[in-house]
Amino acid sequence: MGVAFILGVLLTTVWQYREVVSRHVGFQTERLAVGSVNGAIEENEGISDAIRRQPYVEAVACSSKMLLQHYSTNRLTDAQGNFLCPLHFMLIDKDFPKVTGLKLLEGAFPQHVGEAVVGKETVRTMKWQNNVIGRKLPIKPSWAGLQESPTIVGVVDDVRNMGFFNEQTCTAFIMNDRDRTFNVRLKEPEEENLRKLNAFVKEAYPNKMLEFFTYQEIREWQNESVSRFRNIVTVTSGCILLIVLMGLIGYVSDETQRRSKEIAIRKVNGAEASSILRLLSAGILQVAVGAVLIGIAFSWYVSGIWMEQFPDGTLLSPGWFIGVGVALLVLIVLVVVVKAWRIANENPVNSIKSE
């Protein structure tokens, strides 16, 4: 039961970790690195141009925040002034949408300061489905460094800036030049060119403490708790499986030794090796099937509780857990067959003589 339970939980954690680090987050993370600097914005002028001139860089765009983090926020309210949800917004330059790979669903990308694109969740929350283009984004203009509220010119796919431990946020991307984060699309090979980029900025701007990381690395850091839990379950599963297999091998050895005379008599009476193996396997399975079913059912229940930390996560279908149970039973039968093969094919006369 224990090994069936832990293997079912392992299946869930492995699958969910794969989901959170590979699932689409609203932009193209491949070969996209990001780095931020502090200090006055005016002091950062020329950095993006210097990076853009490097032969291993494909494109550069600036923003006020990294895409995978908490943005600046403003209250979204309905026509009656009732609070709906926080609006997560960030400032971007003209090249940002194309460099980062934001997916345009409607309208156009910003071309002028004060224009903005919003995510699908923002449109849904505000009930703007039919007339979003041309609306004013309801935020305080000064928070975006503007004189008047931004004008919405397009709708983009939702960005999971808060990861998959939180529900999808309402997002907006506003064009302005108050940027201190650099998004760099690297050429292949990614790892080598990332090292070159960090070496360049360290030498060219030693006082800026500027260091770049890929968005894939950031996703792995953000989901480190899932990775750590997966690793713990993996090690535990291996240890429990090893202990169970050792116990099963010992049990089969004792059982075949105890029933050696019975097996010999059956063979003298015409029983074939296959029927002997079926006899031994059936005895083990009478206990194993019930234990595996209980373990798998419990693992499915516990996995469902664990998955509640992911608001839009989906628990694997029961068929996957049943598959784990079947595979475990097959493994048990294989161990029985391999361990009992010798005595099932042994000359029965030798067993009877030894008695």
Side-chain angles (χ1 to χ4, degrees):
M1 184 175 71
V3 69
F5 167 75
I6 200 68
L7 288 177
V9 174
L10 176 62
L11 173 68
T12 302
T13 56
V14 169
W15 180 270
Q16 185 59 20
Y17 181 72
R18 174 184 172 276
E19 278 286 293
V20 295
V21 298
S22 63
R23 187 173 167 187
H24 186 57
V25 288
F27 62 98
Q28 300 298 324
T29 60
E30 296 79 8
R31 297 182 290 107
L32 186 61
V34 62
S36 299
V37 293
N38 298 316
I41 294 175
E42 295 76 13
E43 297 176 0
N44 301 326
E45 293 180 1
I47 295 180
S48 60
D49 289 333
I51 295 174
R52 190 176 291 109
R53 288 193 294 268
Q54 302 309 306
Y56 43 81
V57 172
E58 187 174 295
V60 181
C62 297
S63 58
S64 59
K65 299 279 186 178
M66 292 190 297
L67 276 163
L68 296 180
Q69 70 171 121
H70 192 287
Y71 303 165
S72 301
T73 56
N74 194 90
R75 289 166 55 90
L76 275 184
T77 59
D78 60 18
Q80 289 72 41
N82 300 313
F83 174 73
L84 297 175
C85 70
L87 174 69
H88 290 239
F89 70 92
M90 63 188 297
L91 308 180
I92 61 173
D93 66 8
K94 183 177 179 180
D95 297 326
F96 180 86
K98 292 184 178 180
V99 171
T100 57
L102 291 181
K103 184 179 179 181
L104 184 67
L105 303 177
E106 181 182 350
F109 288 131
Q111 299 296 314
H112 306 95
V113 172
E115 294 181 343
V117 291
V118 295
K120 289 189 302 182
E121 184 65 18
T122 306
V123 176
R124 187 195 65 80
T125 301
M126 297 299 293
K127 297 181 172 62
W128 287 342
Q129 284 85 347
N130 298 323
N131 54 352
V132 60
I133 305 301
R135 282 184 175 272
K136 292 293 185 178
L137 196 62
I139 69 170
K140 294 181 180 180
S142 59
W143 288 17
L146 302 171
Q147 299 299 318
E148 59 181 29
S149 297
T151 301
I152 299 173
V153 297
V155 179
V156 296
D157 200 4
D158 287 321
V159 173
R160 295 304 296 251
N161 65 304
M162 298 297 290
F164 295 101
F165 287 97
N166 299 280
E167 294 182 351
Q168 175 62 56
T169 58
C170 292
T171 53
F173 303 91
I174 306 166
M175 185 169 168
N176 204 339
D177 57 359
R178 298 171 61 182
D179 310 323
R180 54 168 50 93
T181 297
F182 305 98
N183 301 270
V184 180
R185 181 73 66 181
L186 297 167
K187 297 178 181 178
E188 292 285 6
E190 180 182 19
E191 292 186 9
E192 178 182 340
N193 288 335
L194 179 64
R195 288 194 295 269
K196 291 180 180 179
L197 175 61
N198 279 321
F200 166 74
V201 296
K202 184 177 181 180
E203 180 180 357
Y205 307 99
N207 300 323
K208 291 294 183 181
M209 303 297 291
L210 178 58
E211 185 174 4
F212 285 88
F213 304 94
T214 66
Y215 273 105
Q216 189 59 38
E217 289 176 323
I218 294 173
R219 294 184 69 176
E220 292 173 359
W221 296 335
Q222 289 179 337
N223 296 288
E224 187 176 359
S225 61
V226 181
S227 173
R228 187 161 50 245
F229 182 67
R230 179 204 59 182
N231 294 340
I232 292 173
V233 174
T234 300
V235 173
T236 304
S237 300
C239 293
I240 292 177
L241 184 60
L242 181 61
I243 293 171
V244 168
L245 288 177
M246 291 174 63
L248 179 61
I249 291 172
Y251 174 80
V252 173
S253 297
D254 292 342
E255 188 71 2
T256 53
Q257 185 65 34
R258 183 179 66 84
R259 302 177 67 177
S260 60
K261 185 176 181 180
E262 175 192 347
I263 294 172
I265 294 174
R266 286 178 178 272
K267 293 194 68 177
V268 168
N269 291 328
E272 296 182 353
S274 58
S275 65
I276 301 299
L277 293 174
R278 281 197 300 270
L279 175 68
L280 295 173
S281 299
I284 298 293
L285 289 177
Q286 285 179 356
V287 178
V289 170
V292 168
L293 285 176
I294 295 173
I296 287 298
F298 191 43
S299 72
W300 181 80
Y301 173 74
V302 171
S303 295
I305 295 175
W306 183 74
M307 286 293 294
E308 289 178 358
Q309 64 184 306
F310 306 98
D312 56 355
T314 302
L315 180 62
L316 290 169
S317 68
W320 285 92
F321 292 87
I322 293 173
V324 170
V326 171
L328 183 57
L329 291 174
V330 170
L331 177 62
I332 291 173
V333 172
L334 286 175
V335 171
V336 172
V337 169
V338 170
K339 189 62 182 174
W341 183 265
R342 182 187 61 81
I343 196 168
N345 288 276
E346 190 178 41
N347 189 334
V349 176
N350 296 332
S351 298
I352 294 174
K353 281 183 178 180
S354 65
E355 294 290 333

